Every structure is written in C-alpha cells, then in structure tokens.
C-alpha cells in the first residue's frame, strides 16, 4: 500500500506549465511594488538528469518571457534546483520530511559550512483547497541557519512560513523555500 506522501498520490511541484508570481514591495523598486512572474517551460538535460527550465517575466502583460538561469526537477518526493551561476544541484524541498526534520541547502551558492535551512514544524492534511478543487498538504516550516555545526532557527512569526504541496511557498511560490 502506498504511503499518503508518496509521489503516486500527491501532485508534483515541478510540472510543465507551472506558473507563479511573487509581489515585491519596498521603496527601492519604483513604483514601490513589482510583480515577478515565473513559469516552468521546456526541459533540458544537465549532468544526465532532466530539468524543467524556469522562465521569468516582469511585464504586467507577460509578454517578455526569458530564461531565468534556474532549472528544477523532482525525484522520489524531493525537489532539486540548479542554476547557471552555481552548477551544483541543491535541494529545494523534501516531501518525505517528518516533523522535526531539517533541510539544509547552500545559501547563495557559497561553498562553506554556512547553510540556510528549514525545519518542518507540522504537516496538515486536507487543509487547503485551490480553485481546481484539489486538496493539498500544507507543510509548516521555520527558516534558519546552520553554521559551524549548530542550527539556529527563527522562532518569530516572520521566520515561519507555509509550503503548499503542488504550489510552493505561500509567500514566494517556487522562488526559494523561505
């Protein structure tokens, strides 16, 4: 019998045509709010593995799609990414995590023992419905850092976020885990 978290029973996060938008606000970006839209479109082979190509658009009418330099793939419940800047495959999210598990990934492509990480706090079944009527699992995580053998997690509300099956981060889509 398949596990509820198995790839056969849950939607795939990395699928052709997946599109999401990230709205960034602040005084540095005129007109104080900018929307970045991303889409997984087309594929490529890197190191003998198939990745979907991320494209980006900054145009409100989505007329200026261009490759972002990021590539994503999913295997056995784990999502990976690779960038033109950093040619190493890095973990993005892991649906096989259990409450209390952590996921480390190298921050900004730096090669060191300094990692950005997330810790799974809770998993909720059937708590989110999207316009398509599908029920999705929601993963509540805390962001943090791993440095010199020690994990440090942000316990404040702004350090916690929701990662939604088939969608990504509630705040940033597939832009980055936190």
């Amino acid at each position: 019998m398949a596990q509820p978290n198995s790839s056969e029973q849950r939607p795939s996060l990395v699928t052709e045509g997946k599109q999401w938008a990230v709205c960034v606000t602040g005084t540095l970006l005129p007109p104080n709010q900018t929307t970045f839209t991303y889409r997984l479109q087309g594929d490529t082979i890197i190191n003998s593995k198939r990745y979907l190509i991320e494209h980006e658009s900054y145009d409100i009418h989505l007329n200026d799609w261009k490759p972002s330099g990021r590539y994503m793939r999913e295997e056995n419940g784990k999502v990976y990414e690779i960038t033109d800047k950093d040619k190493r495959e890095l973990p993005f999210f892991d649906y096989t995590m259990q409450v209390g598990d952590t996921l480390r990934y190298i921050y900004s492509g730096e090669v060191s023992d300094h990692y950005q990480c997330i810790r799974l706090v809770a998993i909720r079944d059937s708590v989110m419905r999207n316009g398509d009527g599908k029920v999705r699992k929601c993963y509540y995580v805390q962001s943090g850092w791993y440095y010199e053998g020690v994990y440090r997690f942000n316990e404040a509300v702004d350090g916690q976020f929701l990662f939604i099956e088939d969608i990504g981060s509630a705040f940033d889509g597939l832009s980055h885990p936190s």
Side-chain angles (χ1 to χ4, degrees):
M1 181 173 172
Q3 295 297 316
N5 235 6
S6 72
S7 60
E8 297 87 41
Q9 293 191 1
R10 64 166 187 73
S12 178
L13 184 65
V14 181
T15 57
E16 177 77 27
K18 167 128 357 241
Q19 184 171 306
W20 65 97
V22 178
C23 181
V24 178
T25 58
T27 56
L28 297 177
L29 298 169
N32 296 334
Q33 181 171 320
T34 302
T35 299
F36 304 99
T37 306
Y38 302 92
R39 178 186 305 159
L40 296 176
Q41 183 176 341
D43 63 359
T44 189
I45 303 297
I46 302 172
N47 299 329
S48 302
K49 296 176 184 170
R50 179 183 172 265
Y51 290 84
L52 291 181
I53 304 166
E54 180 188 86
H55 291 75
E56 59 190 1
S57 175
Y58 304 118
D59 178 55
I60 193 168
H61 304 290
L62 304 178
N63 292 326
D64 65 341
W65 291 105
K66 62 183 175 240
S68 70
R70 255 177 40 131
Y71 311 88
M72 300 185 81
R73 73 180 188 91
E74 187 172 349
E75 181 180 322
N76 298 324
K78 297 175 183 165
V79 178
Y80 300 94
E81 71 175 354
I82 195 167
T83 66
D84 287 340
K85 177 182 174 185
D86 184 354
K87 303 292 186 188
R88 292 171 295 147
E89 181 177 79
L90 301 172
F92 178 81
F93 196 75
D94 183 352
Y95 286 114
T96 67
M97 290 192 311
Q98 300 297 313
V99 172
D101 288 352
T102 59
L103 174 69
R104 288 187 291 182
Y105 50 96
I106 299 173
Y107 182 69
S108 298
E110 297 171 10
V111 178
S112 70
D113 65 346
H114 194 158
Y115 297 86
Q116 192 168 3
C117 58
I118 55 175
R119 175 173 54 195
L120 185 60
V121 177
I123 301 173
R124 301 284 186 253
D125 291 326
S126 307
V127 297
M128 175 127 191
R129 292 195 179 271
N130 198 5
D132 58 11
K134 293 181 183 176
V135 176
R136 292 172 169 81
K137 284 187 182 276
C138 297
Y139 299 80
Y140 296 86
V141 298
Q142 289 177 310
S143 62
W145 292 93
Y146 176 83
Y147 184 65
E148 295 181 342
V150 178
Y151 286 101
R152 292 177 180 85
F153 288 97
N154 187 345
E155 303 289 337
V157 172
D158 65 347
Q160 300 177 21
F161 65 95
L162 181 64
F163 199 88
I164 305 165
E165 197 172 50
D166 191 33
I167 295 172
S169 168
F171 302 106
D172 298 316
L174 298 177
S175 294
H176 46 79
S178 62

